[in-house]
Amino acid sequence: MKNWLILGVAIALEVTATLALRAAIDTPWWTVLTVVGYAGAFVSLSALLRRGAPIGVIYGIWAAAGVALTAVLGSVVFGEPFTILIGLGIAIVIAGVVLVETGHEKPASASTEVAP
């Protein structure tokens, strides 16, 4: 359960940083939040790896969630277009992550919380 929380924090930080990067175009001080957000996201990801989470699964979920949330929030916050093709692309990315997750062999160790 803790791995899911850490992964959620990493996703939230990455999406926040990406949205701040877009906001920094008009207001440069948003660059500070961009740097802090990306740094925090990578620290969170490294914490997951230290806990034994498989990088392919963790990165896949992090990247897919980041793409999907950034596209949706970019549309809401900045009025960027959200088309059927964008929605289809997000669905394909999510399907790919599900395939990676379900295709990943579970380790034979006694630990029950290796992957999120």
Side-chain angles (χ1 to χ4, degrees), residues 6-71:
I6 295 169
L7 182 57
V9 168
I11 292 166
L13 287 168
E14 189 264 338
V15 170
T16 300
T18 303
L19 293 173
L21 182 63
R22 168 60 174 82
I25 292 170
D26 300 322
T27 312
W29 72 265
W30 282 99
T31 305
V32 174
L33 184 57
T34 300
V35 171
V36 170
Y38 283 132
F42 284 109
V43 167
S44 298
L45 290 173
S46 67
L48 284 167
L49 294 174
R50 279 193 303 277
R51 293 175 56 84
I55 192 167
V57 174
I58 293 302
Y59 183 76
I61 294 170
W62 177 71
V67 167
L69 288 171
T70 300

Side-chain angles (χ1 to χ4, degrees), residues 1 3 48 50-54 106-116:
M1 185 66 170
N3 282 1
L48 284 167
R50 279 193 303 277
R51 293 175 56 84
K106 303 295 179 200
S109 69
S111 175
T112 59
E113 191 179 345
V114 174

